[in-house]
Amino acid sequence: MPASTRIRFVLVGTQHPGNIGAAARAMKTMGLARLVLVAPEKPLDEVALRRSAGAEDLLGDAPVFATLAEAVADCRLVLGCTARSRRVQLEELLPEVAGQRAVAKASEEGGEVAFVFGRERTGLTNEELQLCHLAVHIPSNPEFSSLNLAAAVQVLAYEVRMAVLEGQAQPEREPGYGEAPASHAQLEGLFGQFGETLDAIDFHKGRAPESALRKLRRLFMKADLSEQEVRLLRGILADAQRMARLASEGRN
Ligand code: SAH
């Protein structure tokens, strides 16, 4: 079962049905389908339907609960989204980290996860926030920190999607995936040949060679090279050395 099916977005006490429609749209664009409502102020209407722009299936499927406690009763991780930073004694996460934690938890068997969003005017109550394991704050302008409800839903839904895609893409993304990583000795061989080649092409021009070699060493250490990649680089260096030799023979 994909992780995203274990992630629900819970809207608490929403005042404008239009925002519920827009939230459904925001979720569906990011591949999320589980919208849950807690005591909405008004029933879903024409505006909600219009603002959902084709995500009315999410509206139709959305269960409605009387309290937040009931809506998250079976959850293993509950993330409370709050426009006001540091209001409660909860660890506060950036949206990106929250997305990653949610997807990690939802990848476990039975790892139900909820993102909880508050009322347009007053947000979540302290009691509601206390039902959450962690708070999530979108680092907005401190003097104007409150996003529209559906805009906040969009940001979190996007981060969930990124975390899902990241999980799927991992194997292909790693450099030289499937190739054996270069050994320490192979890297030292590469660095040694780099030193000789830079001399041969007169790269240093009187400067101390250590600085350039140190930077190159750092660059290649970061690059997590495979054996094949080291061979390719050494082949290029060997050709550069050969050309330098030919050039100096031509001069003599
Ligand atoms: N005036 C309310 C803001 C409500 S906005 C308040 O001060 O709390 C409606 C909901 O959108 C919020 O309850 C929250 O869940 C979400 N939201 C809005 N801005 C946010 C932000 N910067 N970070 C995280 N969630 C936010």
Side-chain angles (χ1 to χ4, degrees), residues 68-88:
L68 176 59
E70 292 166 85
V72 299
D74 59 331
C75 288
R76 299 290 182 275
L77 178 62
V78 181
L79 298 149
C81 300
T82 164
R84 275 173 269 170
S85 186
R86 318 228 172 274
R87 193 174 64 163
V88 279

mmCIF file with all atom_site columns, all heavy atoms in Angstrom, residues 68-88:
data_model
loop_
_atom_site.group_PDB
_atom_site.id
_atom_site.type_symbol
_atom_site.label_atom_id
_atom_site.label_alt_id
_atom_site.label_comp_id
_atom_site.label_asym_id
_atom_site.label_entity_id
_atom_site.label_seq_id
_atom_site.pdbx_PDB_ins_code
_atom_site.Cartn_x
_atom_site.Cartn_y
_atom_site.Cartn_z
_atom_site.occupancy
_atom_site.B_iso_or_equiv
_atom_site.pdbx_formal_charge
_atom_site.auth_seq_id
_atom_site.auth_comp_id
_atom_site.auth_asym_id
_atom_site.auth_atom_id
_atom_site.pdbx_PDB_model_num
ATOM 1   N N   . LEU A 1 68 ? -11.746 16.525 17.105 1.00 0.00 ? 68 LEU A N   1
ATOM 2   C CA  . LEU A 1 68 ? -10.446 16.146 16.536 1.00 0.00 ? 68 LEU A CA  1
ATOM 3   C C   . LEU A 1 68 ? -9.982  14.810 17.110 1.00 0.00 ? 68 LEU A C   1
ATOM 4   O O   . LEU A 1 68 ? -9.420  13.984 16.387 1.00 0.00 ? 68 LEU A O   1
ATOM 5   C CB  . LEU A 1 68 ? -9.415  17.257 16.830 1.00 0.00 ? 68 LEU A CB  1
ATOM 6   C CG  . LEU A 1 68 ? -7.983  16.969 16.374 1.00 0.00 ? 68 LEU A CG  1
ATOM 7   C CD1 . LEU A 1 68 ? -7.912  16.709 14.862 1.00 0.00 ? 68 LEU A CD1 1
ATOM 8   C CD2 . LEU A 1 68 ? -7.040  18.122 16.738 1.00 0.00 ? 68 LEU A CD2 1
ATOM 9   N N   . ALA A 1 69 ? -10.216 14.607 18.410 1.00 0.00 ? 69 ALA A N   1
ATOM 10  C CA  . ALA A 1 69 ? -9.773  13.356 19.047 1.00 0.00 ? 69 ALA A CA  1
ATOM 11  C C   . ALA A 1 69 ? -10.310 12.145 18.291 1.00 0.00 ? 69 ALA A C   1
ATOM 12  O O   . ALA A 1 69 ? -9.584  11.166 18.066 1.00 0.00 ? 69 ALA A O   1
ATOM 13  C CB  . ALA A 1 69 ? -10.212 13.322 20.506 1.00 0.00 ? 69 ALA A CB  1
ATOM 14  N N   . GLU A 1 70 ? -11.584 12.217 17.879 1.00 0.00 ? 70 GLU A N   1
ATOM 15  C CA  . GLU A 1 70 ? -12.168 11.082 17.135 1.00 0.00 ? 70 GLU A CA  1
ATOM 16  C C   . GLU A 1 70 ? -11.538 10.944 15.754 1.00 0.00 ? 70 GLU A C   1
ATOM 17  O O   . GLU A 1 70 ? -11.317 9.834  15.271 1.00 0.00 ? 70 GLU A O   1
ATOM 18  C CB  . GLU A 1 70 ? -13.671 11.289 16.974 1.00 0.00 ? 70 GLU A CB  1
ATOM 19  C CG  . GLU A 1 70 ? -14.446 11.195 18.279 1.00 0.00 ? 70 GLU A CG  1
ATOM 20  C CD  . GLU A 1 70 ? -15.864 11.739 18.100 1.00 0.00 ? 70 GLU A CD  1
ATOM 21  O OE1 . GLU A 1 70 ? -16.729 10.953 17.662 1.00 0.00 ? 70 GLU A OE1 1
ATOM 22  O OE2 . GLU A 1 70 ? -16.092 12.940 18.363 1.00 0.00 ? 70 GLU A OE2 1
ATOM 23  N N   . ALA A 1 71 ? -11.233 12.093 15.131 1.00 0.00 ? 71 ALA A N   1
ATOM 24  C CA  . ALA A 1 71 ? -10.721 12.064 13.754 1.00 0.00 ? 71 ALA A CA  1
ATOM 25  C C   . ALA A 1 71 ? -9.317  11.481 13.676 1.00 0.00 ? 71 ALA A C   1
ATOM 26  O O   . ALA A 1 71 ? -8.896  11.002 12.623 1.00 0.00 ? 71 ALA A O   1
ATOM 27  C CB  . ALA A 1 71 ? -10.727 13.477 13.165 1.00 0.00 ? 71 ALA A CB  1
ATOM 28  N N   . VAL A 1 72 ? -8.579  11.525 14.799 1.00 0.00 ? 72 VAL A N   1
ATOM 29  C CA  . VAL A 1 72 ? -7.195  11.032 14.759 1.00 0.00 ? 72 VAL A CA  1
ATOM 30  C C   . VAL A 1 72 ? -6.975  9.841  15.696 1.00 0.00 ? 72 VAL A C   1
ATOM 31  O O   . VAL A 1 72 ? -5.844  9.464  15.978 1.00 0.00 ? 72 VAL A O   1
ATOM 32  C CB  . VAL A 1 72 ? -6.183  12.163 15.103 1.00 0.00 ? 72 VAL A CB  1
ATOM 33  C CG1 . VAL A 1 72 ? -6.277  13.298 14.087 1.00 0.00 ? 72 VAL A CG1 1
ATOM 34  C CG2 . VAL A 1 72 ? -6.381  12.687 16.520 1.00 0.00 ? 72 VAL A CG2 1
ATOM 35  N N   . ALA A 1 73 ? -8.076  9.259  16.158 1.00 0.00 ? 73 ALA A N   1
ATOM 36  C CA  . ALA A 1 73 ? -7.980  8.204  17.179 1.00 0.00 ? 73 ALA A CA  1
ATOM 37  C C   . ALA A 1 73 ? -7.037  7.066  16.783 1.00 0.00 ? 73 ALA A C   1
ATOM 38  O O   . ALA A 1 73 ? -6.328  6.527  17.625 1.00 0.00 ? 73 ALA A O   1
ATOM 39  C CB  . ALA A 1 73 ? -9.363  7.652  17.483 1.00 0.00 ? 73 ALA A CB  1
ATOM 40  N N   . ASP A 1 74 ? -7.011  6.695  15.515 1.00 0.00 ? 74 ASP A N   1
ATOM 41  C CA  . ASP A 1 74 ? -6.189  5.550  15.086 1.00 0.00 ? 74 ASP A CA  1
ATOM 42  C C   . ASP A 1 74 ? -4.819  5.967  14.558 1.00 0.00 ? 74 ASP A C   1
ATOM 43  O O   . ASP A 1 74 ? -4.101  5.146  13.987 1.00 0.00 ? 74 ASP A O   1
ATOM 44  C CB  . ASP A 1 74 ? -6.938  4.774  13.995 1.00 0.00 ? 74 ASP A CB  1
ATOM 45  C CG  . ASP A 1 74 ? -7.248  5.651  12.792 1.00 0.00 ? 74 ASP A CG  1
ATOM 46  O OD1 . ASP A 1 74 ? -7.406  6.881  12.972 1.00 0.00 ? 74 ASP A OD1 1
ATOM 47  O OD2 . ASP A 1 74 ? -7.317  5.133  11.671 1.00 0.00 ? 74 ASP A OD2 1
ATOM 48  N N   . CYS A 1 75 ? -4.440  7.239  14.749 1.00 0.00 ? 75 CYS A N   1
ATOM 49  C CA  . CYS A 1 75 ? -3.184  7.718  14.147 1.00 0.00 ? 75 CYS A CA  1
ATOM 50  C C   . CYS A 1 75 ? -1.971  7.442  15.024 1.00 0.00 ? 75 CYS A C   1
ATOM 51  O O   . CYS A 1 75 ? -2.040  7.472  16.244 1.00 0.00 ? 75 CYS A O   1
ATOM 52  C CB  . CYS A 1 75 ? -3.263  9.221  13.866 1.00 0.00 ? 75 CYS A CB  1
ATOM 53  S SG  . CYS A 1 75 ? -4.347  9.562  12.484 1.00 0.00 ? 75 CYS A SG  1
ATOM 54  N N   . ARG A 1 76 ? -0.841  7.194  14.373 1.00 0.00 ? 76 ARG A N   1
ATOM 55  C CA  . ARG A 1 76 ? 0.435   6.991  15.081 1.00 0.00 ? 76 ARG A CA  1
ATOM 56  C C   . ARG A 1 76 ? 1.227   8.291  15.126 1.00 0.00 ? 76 ARG A C   1
ATOM 57  O O   . ARG A 1 76 ? 2.116   8.452  15.942 1.00 0.00 ? 76 ARG A O   1
ATOM 58  C CB  . ARG A 1 76 ? 1.272   5.923  14.366 1.00 0.00 ? 76 ARG A CB  1
ATOM 59  C CG  . ARG A 1 76 ? 0.611   4.574  14.294 1.00 0.00 ? 76 ARG A CG  1
ATOM 60  C CD  . ARG A 1 76 ? 0.541   3.926  15.688 1.00 0.00 ? 76 ARG A CD  1
ATOM 61  N NE  . ARG A 1 76 ? -0.052  2.593  15.607 1.00 0.00 ? 76 ARG A NE  1
ATOM 62  C CZ  . ARG A 1 76 ? -1.356  2.358  15.630 1.00 0.00 ? 76 ARG A CZ  1
ATOM 63  N NH1 . ARG A 1 76 ? -2.222  3.363  15.721 1.00 0.00 ? 76 ARG A NH1 1
ATOM 64  N NH2 . ARG A 1 76 ? -1.813  1.122  15.549 1.00 0.00 ? 76 ARG A NH2 1
ATOM 65  N N   . LEU A 1 77 ? 0.922   9.195  14.197 1.00 0.00 ? 77 LEU A N   1
ATOM 66  C CA  . LEU A 1 77 ? 1.630   10.480 14.161 1.00 0.00 ? 77 LEU A CA  1
ATOM 67  C C   . LEU A 1 77 ? 0.618   11.564 13.773 1.00 0.00 ? 77 LEU A C   1
ATOM 68  O O   . LEU A 1 77 ? -0.065  11.452 12.758 1.00 0.00 ? 77 LEU A O   1
ATOM 69  C CB  . LEU A 1 77 ? 2.768   10.429 13.126 1.00 0.00 ? 77 LEU A CB  1
ATOM 70  C CG  . LEU A 1 77 ? 3.572   11.718 12.933 1.00 0.00 ? 77 LEU A CG  1
ATOM 71  C CD1 . LEU A 1 77 ? 4.286   12.130 14.225 1.00 0.00 ? 77 LEU A CD1 1
ATOM 72  C CD2 . LEU A 1 77 ? 4.597   11.547 11.811 1.00 0.00 ? 77 LEU A CD2 1
ATOM 73  N N   . VAL A 1 78 ? 0.514   12.603 14.632 1.00 0.00 ? 78 VAL A N   1
ATOM 74  C CA  . VAL A 1 78 ? -0.421  13.702 14.381 1.00 0.00 ? 78 VAL A CA  1
ATOM 75  C C   . VAL A 1 78 ? 0.376   15.006 14.353 1.00 0.00 ? 78 VAL A C   1
ATOM 76  O O   . VAL A 1 78 ? 1.058   15.351 15.319 1.00 0.00 ? 78 VAL A O   1
ATOM 77  C CB  . VAL A 1 78 ? -1.515  13.760 15.466 1.00 0.00 ? 78 VAL A CB  1
ATOM 78  C CG1 . VAL A 1 78 ? -2.490  14.900 15.182 1.00 0.00 ? 78 VAL A CG1 1
ATOM 79  C CG2 . VAL A 1 78 ? -2.259  12.426 15.556 1.00 0.00 ? 78 VAL A CG2 1
ATOM 80  N N   . LEU A 1 79 ? 0.311   15.708 13.234 1.00 0.00 ? 79 LEU A N   1
ATOM 81  C CA  . LEU A 1 79 ? 1.102   16.924 13.033 1.00 0.00 ? 79 LEU A CA  1
ATOM 82  C C   . LEU A 1 79 ? 0.171   18.129 12.977 1.00 0.00 ? 79 LEU A C   1
ATOM 83  O O   . LEU A 1 79 ? -0.681  18.213 12.084 1.00 0.00 ? 79 LEU A O   1
ATOM 84  C CB  . LEU A 1 79 ? 1.895   16.798 11.737 1.00 0.00 ? 79 LEU A CB  1
ATOM 85  C CG  . LEU A 1 79 ? 2.902   15.635 11.718 1.00 0.00 ? 79 LEU A CG  1
ATOM 86  C CD1 . LEU A 1 79 ? 3.092   15.091 10.318 1.00 0.00 ? 79 LEU A CD1 1
ATOM 87  C CD2 . LEU A 1 79 ? 4.223   16.074 12.307 1.00 0.00 ? 79 LEU A CD2 1
ATOM 88  N N   . GLY A 1 80 ? 0.295   19.032 13.919 1.00 0.00 ? 80 GLY A N   1
ATOM 89  C CA  . GLY A 1 80 ? -0.595  20.198 14.000 1.00 0.00 ? 80 GLY A CA  1
ATOM 90  C C   . GLY A 1 80 ? 0.018   21.396 13.293 1.00 0.00 ? 80 GLY A C   1
ATOM 91  O O   . GLY A 1 80 ? 1.085   21.878 13.677 1.00 0.00 ? 80 GLY A O   1
ATOM 92  N N   . CYS A 1 81 ? -0.677  21.904 12.267 1.00 0.00 ? 81 CYS A N   1
ATOM 93  C CA  . CYS A 1 81 ? -0.136  23.029 11.495 1.00 0.00 ? 81 CYS A CA  1
ATOM 94  C C   . CYS A 1 81 ? -0.594  24.340 12.101 1.00 0.00 ? 81 CYS A C   1
ATOM 95  O O   . CYS A 1 81 ? -1.796  24.574 12.251 1.00 0.00 ? 81 CYS A O   1
ATOM 96  C CB  . CYS A 1 81 ? -0.607  22.933 10.045 1.00 0.00 ? 81 CYS A CB  1
ATOM 97  S SG  . CYS A 1 81 ? -0.058  21.394 9.293  1.00 0.00 ? 81 CYS A SG  1
ATOM 98  N N   . THR A 1 82 ? 0.355   25.178 12.458 1.00 0.00 ? 82 THR A N   1
ATOM 99  C CA  . THR A 1 82 ? -0.005  26.401 13.154 1.00 0.00 ? 82 THR A CA  1
ATOM 100 C C   . THR A 1 82 ? 0.684   27.634 12.564 1.00 0.00 ? 82 THR A C   1
ATOM 101 O O   . THR A 1 82 ? 1.876   27.602 12.255 1.00 0.00 ? 82 THR A O   1
ATOM 102 C CB  . THR A 1 82 ? 0.279   26.279 14.670 1.00 0.00 ? 82 THR A CB  1
ATOM 103 O OG1 . THR A 1 82 ? 0.274   27.577 15.248 1.00 0.00 ? 82 THR A OG1 1
ATOM 104 C CG2 . THR A 1 82 ? 1.608   25.629 14.950 1.00 0.00 ? 82 THR A CG2 1
ATOM 105 N N   . ALA A 1 83 ? -0.102  28.687 12.396 1.00 0.00 ? 83 ALA A N   1
ATOM 106 C CA  . ALA A 1 83 ? 0.404   29.930 11.819 1.00 0.00 ? 83 ALA A CA  1
ATOM 107 C C   . ALA A 1 83 ? 1.231   30.697 12.831 1.00 0.00 ? 83 ALA A C   1
ATOM 108 O O   . ALA A 1 83 ? 2.016   31.567 12.471 1.00 0.00 ? 83 ALA A O   1
ATOM 109 C CB  . ALA A 1 83 ? -0.769  30.783 11.340 1.00 0.00 ? 83 ALA A CB  1
ATOM 110 N N   . ARG A 1 84 ? 0.993   30.403 14.109 1.00 0.00 ? 84 ARG A N   1
ATOM 111 C CA  . ARG A 1 84 ? 1.728   31.131 15.144 1.00 0.00 ? 84 ARG A CA  1
ATOM 112 C C   . ARG A 1 84 ? 2.862   30.278 15.663 1.00 0.00 ? 84 ARG A C   1
ATOM 113 O O   . ARG A 1 84 ? 2.647   29.174 16.169 1.00 0.00 ? 84 ARG A O   1
ATOM 114 C CB  . ARG A 1 84 ? 0.789   31.526 16.277 1.00 0.00 ? 84 ARG A CB  1
ATOM 115 C CG  . ARG A 1 84 ? 0.082   32.836 15.944 1.00 0.00 ? 84 ARG A CG  1
ATOM 116 C CD  . ARG A 1 84 ? -0.958  33.168 16.950 1.00 0.00 ? 84 ARG A CD  1
ATOM 117 N NE  . ARG A 1 84 ? -2.249  32.621 16.565 1.00 0.00 ? 84 ARG A NE  1
ATOM 118 C CZ  . ARG A 1 84 ? -3.301  32.605 17.368 1.00 0.00 ? 84 ARG A CZ  1
ATOM 119 N NH1 . ARG A 1 84 ? -3.193  33.058 18.597 1.00 0.00 ? 84 ARG A NH1 1
ATOM 120 N NH2 . ARG A 1 84 ? -4.442  32.112 16.942 1.00 0.00 ? 84 ARG A NH2 1
ATOM 121 N N   . SER A 1 85 ? 4.067   30.807 15.501 1.00 0.00 ? 85 SER A N   1
ATOM 122 C CA  . SER A 1 85 ? 5.254   30.038 15.847 1.00 0.00 ? 85 SER A CA  1
ATOM 123 C C   . SER A 1 85 ? 5.413   29.956 17.363 1.00 0.00 ? 85 SER A C   1
ATOM 124 O O   . SER A 1 85 ? 5.132   30.905 18.075 1.00 0.00 ? 85 SER A O   1
ATOM 125 C CB  . SER A 1 85 ? 6.458   30.729 15.222 1.00 0.00 ? 85 SER A CB  1
ATOM 126 O OG  . SER A 1 85 ? 7.599   29.959 15.406 1.00 0.00 ? 85 SER A OG  1
ATOM 127 N N   . ARG A 1 86 ? 5.855   28.795 17.825 1.00 0.00 ? 86 ARG A N   1
ATOM 128 C CA  . ARG A 1 86 ? 6.245   28.598 19.228 1.00 0.00 ? 86 ARG A CA  1
ATOM 129 C C   . ARG A 1 86 ? 5.152   28.938 20.235 1.00 0.00 ? 86 ARG A C   1
ATOM 130 O O   . ARG A 1 86 ? 5.397   29.459 21.300 1.00 0.00 ? 86 ARG A O   1
ATOM 131 C CB  . ARG A 1 86 ? 7.493   29.404 19.584 1.00 0.00 ? 86 ARG A CB  1
ATOM 132 C CG  . ARG A 1 86 ? 8.546   29.365 18.531 1.00 0.00 ? 86 ARG A CG  1
ATOM 133 C CD  . ARG A 1 86 ? 9.921   29.057 19.065 1.00 0.00 ? 86 ARG A CD  1
ATOM 134 N NE  . ARG A 1 86 ? 10.859  28.840 17.971 1.00 0.00 ? 86 ARG A NE  1
ATOM 135 C CZ  . ARG A 1 86 ? 11.043  27.665 17.370 1.00 0.00 ? 86 ARG A CZ  1
ATOM 136 N NH1 . ARG A 1 86 ? 10.400  26.605 17.751 1.00 0.00 ? 86 ARG A NH1 1
ATOM 137 N NH2 . ARG A 1 86 ? 11.885  27.545 16.367 1.00 0.00 ? 86 ARG A NH2 1
ATOM 138 N N   . ARG A 1 87 ? 3.910   28.667 19.877 1.00 0.00 ? 87 ARG A N   1
ATOM 139 C CA  . ARG A 1 87 ? 2.831   28.994 20.800 1.00 0.00 ? 87 ARG A CA  1
ATOM 140 C C   . ARG A 1 87 ? 2.648   27.900 21.838 1.00 0.00 ? 87 ARG A C   1
ATOM 141 O O   . ARG A 1 87 ? 2.237   28.156 22.951 1.00 0.00 ? 87 ARG A O   1
ATOM 142 C CB  . ARG A 1 87 ? 1.534   29.202 20.012 1.00 0.00 ? 87 ARG A CB  1
ATOM 143 C CG  . ARG A 1 87 ? 0.436   29.841 20.829 1.00 0.00 ? 87 ARG A CG  1
ATOM 144 C CD  . ARG A 1 87 ? -0.761  30.157 19.987 1.00 0.00 ? 87 ARG A CD  1
ATOM 145 N NE  . ARG A 1 87 ? -1.380  28.938 19.454 1.00 0.00 ? 87 ARG A NE  1
ATOM 146 C CZ  . ARG A 1 87 ? -2.598  28.888 18.972 1.00 0.00 ? 87 ARG A CZ  1
ATOM 147 N NH1 . ARG A 1 87 ? -3.323  29.984 18.914 1.00 0.00 ? 87 ARG A NH1 1
ATOM 148 N NH2 . ARG A 1 87 ? -3.106  27.767 18.508 1.00 0.00 ? 87 ARG A NH2 1
ATOM 149 N N   . VAL A 1 88 ? 2.961   26.680 21.447 1.00 0.00 ? 88 VAL A N   1
ATOM 150 C CA  . VAL A 1 88 ? 2.776   25.565 22.378 1.00 0.00 ? 88 VAL A CA  1
ATOM 151 C C   . VAL A 1 88 ? 4.097   24.890 22.659 1.00 0.00 ? 88 VAL A C   1
ATOM 152 O O   . VAL A 1 88 ? 5.075   25.071 21.946 1.00 0.00 ? 88 VAL A O   1
ATOM 153 C CB  . VAL A 1 88 ? 1.823   24.502 21.789 1.00 0.00 ? 88 VAL A CB  1
ATOM 154 C CG1 . VAL A 1 88 ? 0.400   24.928 21.970 1.00 0.00 ? 88 VAL A CG1 1
ATOM 155 C CG2 . VAL A 1 88 ? 2.171   24.247 20.355 1.00 0.00 ? 88 VAL A CG2 1
#
